[in-house]
Amino acid sequence: GHGLSSVTSSQRVASPLMAATLSAPETEETETPNSMRPPIDYVWEDVSAQLVDAFGYSQAEVDKYAEDVDSDKEALMKIYKALQLARGFENACNQQYMQGKIRGFMHLDNGQESIPAFVDYAIKNGDKKYSYYREHTHAIASGVDPGEIMAELFMKETGSCKGAGGSMHIFDKPTYFQGGWALVSEQLPYAAGAAKSILLDRKLALSDDENFEKQDVAPPADDDRISIVFVGEGGAQNGRTAELLNSAAKDNLPLLLIVIDNGRAINTFTGDVATNGKVYEQGKHYGVPGLMVDGQDAADVAKGGKAVVDYIRSGKGPAILQVHTYRFNGHSPADPEHERGRKDEKAWARVDQDPIKKFEDKYTA
């Protein structure tokens, strides 16, 4: 692999137009910014080194996380099925949208399937989940019925919000999937509140009854629920991220911040607006550890992600998981190709950065 030094997904491109100057820049010396994102090409050793250094795991413990996936056919099949279900569902959504059967805003997750595969592998039903507007696959991986999600997109009463929410607002009480949130980073403080509520349940001896109402019954002694919140690397530049990390660290909240780093903040190349794209290191100021993984390798995302989740479940506090990935489609079917330099990158990524192809090559070749 290229190693940790290769994390260049959001490096700022210096421009003479950004400098305060009395004279016009000499255009012949100005280089055209390259908006193509290089792959990070991590191998498992790049991930395991971070788990040892940032999370305090021993090498033997890290090796066990790898063995639990690589030596377990059932675990591998679970990951592979989640990858295929996510891809197939989004392809079906795209087809129905193009036929006019799905209307309104819709954002597809093709190319980013390693994230729902990780959720399916490591996240439990009782964990509280807060996603953003590209959330179909997150809901499916959380256990929400795919038919119910598709019905919601079709504006059917049998949908998760009786057809009133649509693509960006999937909500499901039984799986504690607390919706997609349409406004960028809006979900972050709510996820922190949900993590706080888990601690309050334990403190006040409260739990949910069969109707998801609070009752005076203490959670089980082994209650290890966490709150999970999804955000893009563009949205992570929002000030709510700092507030989230501060409050989570201060109260030692059981909170996982998943940063889906596809290099584009809607249509903007993130490197043009972010001074530092290493969001997983942003928690250092608050004592919150972070891990960067390569979204092309779904197995490594599951291994590393599970280690991060277990760190949080053990009561050690919040953590960040940043997944370097590529979005194969435009921001939405209604806005497919308006991103500077994206056509070439998307064509390349579909061939060279497909997590499903990588998984098949790695485990079935």
Side-chain angles (χ1 to χ4, degrees), residues 191-209:
K196 183 71 171 181
S197 77
I198 293 172
L199 298 185
L200 288 173
D201 282 351
R202 297 170 188 167
K203 179 74 173 178
L204 302 175
L206 299 173
S207 62
D208 292 348
D209 62 18

Side-chain angles (χ1 to χ4, degrees), residues 104-107 131-136 152-153 165-171 177 179-183 331:
F105 292 104
M106 185 180 76
H107 310 85
S131 189
Y132 60 170
Y133 48 76
R134 197 181 305 278
E135 93 282 24
H136 307 157
E152 183 64 33
L153 271 61
S167 171
M168 296 190 291
H169 299 289
I170 307 300
F171 183 90
F177 191 82
W181 295 69
L183 299 183
H331 178 62

Side-chain angles (χ1 to χ4, degrees), residues 68-70 72-80 121 359:
D68 286 346
V69 171
D70 290 334
D72 186 342
K73 183 177 180 179
E74 186 175 331
L76 290 170
M77 286 301 298
K78 184 177 181 65
I79 294 169
Y80 185 60
Y121 176 71
F359 192 90

Side-chain angles (χ1 to χ4, degrees), residues 204-364:
L204 302 175
L206 299 173
S207 62
D208 292 348
D209 62 18
E210 64 274 9
N211 296 316
F212 306 99
E213 301 289 342
K214 290 300 178 187
Q215 58 181 347
D216 291 322
V217 176
D222 61 351
D223 178 35
D224 62 358
R225 290 172 298 153
I226 68 173
S227 176
I228 305 100
V229 62
F230 305 77
V231 71
E233 90 293 339
Q237 306 302 321
N238 187 286
R240 291 184 181 92
T241 303
E243 295 181 4
L244 176 88
L245 293 172
N246 179 67
S247 60
K250 184 67 175 175
D251 287 349
N252 202 50
L253 299 182
L255 176 68
L256 172 62
L257 175 64
I258 302 178
V259 180
I260 302 171
D261 176 12
N262 59 33
R264 290 304 187 286
I266 303 182
N267 293 331
T268 301
F269 181 51
T270 312
D272 289 348
V273 295
T275 300
N276 188 339
K278 299 180 181 180
V279 184
Y280 72 103
E281 294 184 344
Q282 189 171 334
K284 286 183 177 180
H285 178 72
Y286 308 95
V288 176
L291 178 71
M292 168 69 88
V293 290
D294 188 347
Q296 188 194 9
D297 195 323
D300 282 3
V301 174
K303 299 171 198 172
K306 180 67 161 57
V308 173
V309 166
D310 287 349
Y311 172 93
I312 302 169
R313 292 198 195 280
S314 69
K316 294 178 181 177
I320 305 169
L321 176 66
Q322 182 168 352
V323 184
H324 183 282
T325 186
Y326 292 86
R327 168 160 50 84
F328 290 173
N329 299 330
H331 178 62
S332 74
D335 185 16
E337 298 285 3
H338 291 218
E339 301 149 334
R340 177 169 59 82
R342 275 287 277 158
K343 278 192 174 183
D344 291 341
E345 181 182 290
K346 283 186 285 190
W348 163 80
R350 290 187 189 110
V351 174
D352 286 356
Q353 292 292 310
D354 189 334
I356 296 179
K357 183 177 185 299
K358 169 83 171 184
F359 192 90
E360 292 171 345
D361 290 346
K362 186 175 182 179
Y363 292 105
T364 65

